[in-house]
């Protein structure tokens, strides 16, 4: 089976959850990076420059023997099944994993949509309020849905859900999201525990070394000090 993964140049959770899952399982795939001009074209026409169809005009997109699949959750489940890290015969565990993929989407949409059409100053203000308000509430809910013991969110080993949360929280706490303080995770020990465990996993370290720019800011899971 030929797999070609199409995404932008930054390691956002929507793509990383699936790419890393394939990488850990030793499944080869083409890692195709789309530059901003081509992405604008995708949004308008639903096509890459070479004519490849991107069905929902959004990324990520995975080509499976030339057939495009979109939507983060659909791609993650497909890759998880190929990799043996998403159950094919355990509907309860599958739904439990899905909950975290969908919750990651909820948080992403909440943050991205806040202040999107406002001036920089207004956006900054709304995002700061978000961190203390609805985003804080969501993080608290996430915290309460993570197992009390062990490293991982629901299982005894690292899964799609842990990788998704690691990268989403890395983005949120990296200082690159306007108005979101880098100490956003300080009140959530279990979220930080999961992020540190994923960040320290040897296959994750290998992937980071292989694909992330030198010194890439993967987030702030250790520091509980003042916001930078
Ligand atoms: N529901 C989609 C959303 C994907 C999404 O919003 N991707 C962004 C890039 S990270 C995008 O393509 N935005 C352009 C657009 O929505 O027009 C998913 O879960 O994959």
């Amino acid at each position: 089976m030929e797999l070609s993964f199409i995404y932008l140049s930054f390691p956002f959770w929507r793509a990383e959850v699936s790419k890393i899952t394939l990488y850990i399982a030793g499944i080869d795939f083409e890692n195709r990076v789309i530059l901003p001009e081509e992405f604008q074209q995708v949004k308008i026409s639903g096509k890459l420059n070479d004519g490849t169809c991107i069905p929902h005009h959004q990324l990520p997109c995975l080509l499976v023997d030339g057939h495009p699949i979109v939507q983060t959750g659909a791609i993650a489940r497909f890759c998880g099944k190929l990799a043996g890290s998403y159950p094919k015969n355990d509907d309860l565990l599958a739904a439990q994993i899905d909950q975290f993929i969908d919750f990651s989407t909820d948080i992403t949409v909440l943050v991205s949509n806040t202040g999107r059409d406002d001036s920089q100053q207004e956006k900054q203000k709304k995002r700061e309020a978000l961190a203390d308000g609805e985003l804080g509430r969501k993080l608290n809910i996430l915290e309460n849905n993570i197992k009390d013991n062990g490293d991982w969110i629901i299982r005894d080993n690292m899964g799609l859900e842990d990788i998704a949360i690691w990268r989403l929280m890395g983005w949120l706490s990296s200082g690159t999201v306007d108005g979101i303080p880098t100490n956003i995770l300080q009140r959530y020990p279990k979220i930080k525990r999961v992020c540190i465990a994923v960040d320290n996993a040897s296959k994750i370290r290998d992937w980071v070394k292989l694909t992330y720019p030198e010194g890439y800011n993967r987030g702030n899971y250790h520091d509980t000090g003042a916001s930078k």
Side-chain angles (χ1 to χ4, degrees):
M1 181 185 292
E2 264 192 33
L3 300 174
S4 178
F5 211 102
I6 303 164
Y7 195 62
L8 306 161
S9 64
F10 53 93
F12 195 49
W13 79 270
R14 286 187 188 285
E16 291 299 284
V17 63
S18 295
K19 289 185 189 179
I20 293 174
T21 295
L22 293 174
Y23 173 73
I24 289 175
I27 299 172
D28 279 343
F29 62 94
E30 183 192 18
N31 195 3
R32 224 165 134 180
V33 170
I34 298 304
L35 297 176
E37 309 81 66
E38 190 170 6
F39 183 46
Q40 287 310 318
Q41 203 43 51
V42 168
K43 289 198 247 179
I44 296 164
S45 68
K47 283 193 170 72
L48 294 180
N49 289 345
D50 67 4
T52 301
C53 172
I54 307 292
H56 296 176
H57 299 214
Q58 289 176 319
L59 297 177
C61 177
L62 177 67
L63 299 180
V64 182
D65 289 332
H67 301 282
I69 305 175
V70 288
Q71 296 295 338
T72 302
I75 298 170
R77 284 185 281 279
F78 181 86
C79 293
K81 284 180 197 163
L82 278 185
S85 61
Y86 185 90
K88 290 182 182 170
N89 297 307
D90 184 341
D91 291 341
L92 176 60
L93 178 60
Q96 286 169 333
I97 296 167
D98 288 349
Q99 293 178 137
F100 290 92
I101 305 288
D102 291 347
F103 204 55
S104 299
T105 293
D106 288 355
I107 292 174
T108 305
V109 170
L110 174 69
V111 174
S112 309
N113 284 356
T114 300
R116 194 172 65 173
D117 301 323
D118 294 320
S119 68
Q120 189 58 26
Q121 203 183 6
E122 192 61 22
K123 181 199 225 173
Q124 188 80 16
K125 241 172 55 193
K126 285 189 181 169
R127 293 272 184 83
E128 279 163 17
L130 187 70
D132 291 331
E134 186 57 14
L135 177 59
R137 194 179 80 86
K138 289 251 185 274
L139 294 178
N140 209 30
I141 292 168
L142 175 62
E143 176 77 6
N144 291 335
N145 279 275
I146 295 175
K147 278 196 312 185
D148 287 330
N149 302 308
D151 282 337
W152 314 111
I153 295 176
I154 43 175
R155 306 194 234 184
D156 293 332
N157 47 9
M158 185 172 73
L160 293 172
E161 61 283 10
D162 304 294
I163 297 168
I165 292 298
W166 165 66
R167 275 291 55 240
L168 174 60
M169 296 302 138
W171 172 68
L172 275 181
S173 63
S174 65
T176 58
V177 190
D178 290 328
I180 306 295
T182 56
N183 65 355
I184 183 86
L185 301 180
Q186 69 175 327
R187 281 180 287 132
Y188 310 107
K190 289 195 276 180
I191 297 178
K192 285 193 293 183
R193 183 196 79 201
V194 170
C195 291
I196 291 168
V198 176
D199 207 71
N200 285 337
S202 66
K203 284 282 187 186
I204 296 286
R205 289 271 150 154
D206 292 347
W207 174 254
V208 164
K209 215 170 179 175
L210 210 61
T211 63
Y212 291 19
E214 180 82 25
Y216 185 81
N217 181 351
R218 298 199 298 282
N220 184 22
Y221 333 118
H222 298 88
D223 181 16
T224 56
S227 176
K228 288 170 201 151

